[in-house]
Amino acid sequence: MSALRRKLRIERIRKLFTLLIGFVYLFPMYIAVSNSFKPYGEIINSPLSLPLHATMDN
Amino acid sequence: MKHNKLHDFLLAMPGFLIYTVFMIVPLGMCFFYSFTNWDGISPKYKMIGLKNFRRLFADGDFYNALKITLIITVITVLLYNVLGALLAVFLNRKNRACAFTKSAIFVPAVLSSVVVAFIWSYMMQTDGGVINAVLGLFGMPPFDFYATPLRTIVMISVIIAWNGLGLFVVIYMATLSTIPTEMLEAAEVDGANGFQRFFRVTLPLMMPGITINSILSIAGGLKQYDHVKVITGGGPGGATQTITLLSVEKAFEYNRRGYSSAIILVLFVMIVVLSVIQLSITKRREVKY
């Protein structure tokens, strides 16, 4: 029983790791999309956050 | 149906004409102009023999560009093939996480190289750049990616690899799907561990994919133009210039079309020689079963 449980846990860690690779790979896309909705000051001050004062002026 | 020579010839004509007009004639013109001192505009020029090539092999800019191009080629080939093969093996199973990551890796491959280079060039800034913000979260000091030409070139190679990796992973996964699963099962029954199964069974059977991928990546690395053009423009002072950038600069800024043709001819010969060497090495290692 414990061997099966261990196998399931390895499988779950593997899935999480896979998802992590995917998200890290898409990180520049997230930056490009989120910064395109920020006013200029917010890009400089908080480059990583989601746009707080979203603007369509860009 | 009647089968004769004229019929064959007419059917082959459209493809042959397009290939001639867009490939063979420009190549011949490039070959011809590399022996002249044409400036690209004036109707008059004269043959100067091998002078362009003699000047080229004494040109420090050319050797610098060659060095930069080779650095880019080596790094991108390694990243494409090692990372591509590992990711293909790792993602070669059916669940939702793997499906998501497969598509995530393919997303940059459909973007224009100019877009990719622009996104990364502002992520790489020292002040207000995103990469340094992330490093700051982990308490690391900011890193100046533009401090030395080598750093910038290494970073540009990583960007190129990020952009093109999706295609290579797809090719490797296609090759993986041709490997019969009985082989891996047989190896497992015989007591081979994961590493042995990868290096002794999977890798030799992936050799056709490695052949095509290394040709694509070597040729792509030697022809590299757009990412470097957008990120540094070859500057400062030609420190990060690749061979293609150098030849375009010589042709359109210095008006030395003959000289730039000579550069391109040398690059052409280099790509052909490297591809032939590489093909003969990897073809020999492909296994039959």
Side-chain angles (χ1 to χ4, degrees), chain B residues 45-66:
Chain B
Y45 53 84
K46 60 175 191 283
M47 303 292 287
I48 54 168
L50 288 172
K51 218 182 214 170
N52 276 331
F53 292 94
R54 221 175 291 142
R55 202 181 292 151
L56 178 63
F57 289 117
D59 189 353
D61 284 353
F62 174 71
Y63 285 107
N64 187 50
L66 189 65

Side-chain angles (χ1 to χ4, degrees), chain A residues 22-37, chain B residues 103-112 115-116 119-120 122-123 130 162-163:
Chain A
F23 280 117
V24 169
Y25 211 80
L26 280 184
F27 178 68
M29 299 298 302
Y30 158 73
I31 294 296
V33 173
S34 78
N35 278 4
S36 69
F37 290 108
Chain B
S103 25
I105 288 174
F106 199 71
V107 164
V110 299
L111 293 179
S112 148
V115 174
V116 168
I119 293 173
W120 276 89
Y122 81 69
M123 279 174 62
V130 176
W162 183 80
N163 193 353

Side-chain angles (χ1 to χ4, degrees), chain B residues 116-134:
Chain B
V116 168
F118 188 75
I119 293 173
W120 276 89
S121 73
Y122 81 69
M123 279 174 62
M124 275 159 64
Q125 288 163 6
T126 314
D127 300 317
V130 176
I131 299 178
N132 279 321
V134 174

Side-chain angles (χ1 to χ4, degrees), chain B residues 261-279:
Chain B
S261 296
I263 298 176
I264 287 302
L265 209 62
V266 170
L267 180 68
F268 173 73
V269 171
M270 236 165 66
I271 293 180
V272 170
V273 168
L274 274 179
S275 302
V276 169
I277 292 174
Q278 187 271 325
L279 199 62

Side-chain angles (χ1 to χ4, degrees), chain A residues 3-51:
Chain A
L4 182 68
R5 197 173 291 160
R6 204 167 134 255
K7 212 170 182 183
L8 276 177
R9 187 184 292 160
I10 287 177
E11 195 58 28
R12 180 168 298 162
I13 291 173
R14 210 190 136 104
K15 271 185 192 169
L16 281 178
F17 187 62
T18 315
L19 280 180
L20 187 74
I21 294 177
F23 280 117
V24 169
Y25 211 80
L26 280 184
F27 178 68
M29 299 298 302
Y30 158 73
I31 294 296
V33 173
S34 78
N35 278 4
S36 69
F37 290 108
K38 288 179 195 172
Y40 183 69
E42 206 179 323
I43 295 178
I44 299 296
N45 287 326
S46 54
L48 294 176
S49 67
L50 283 168

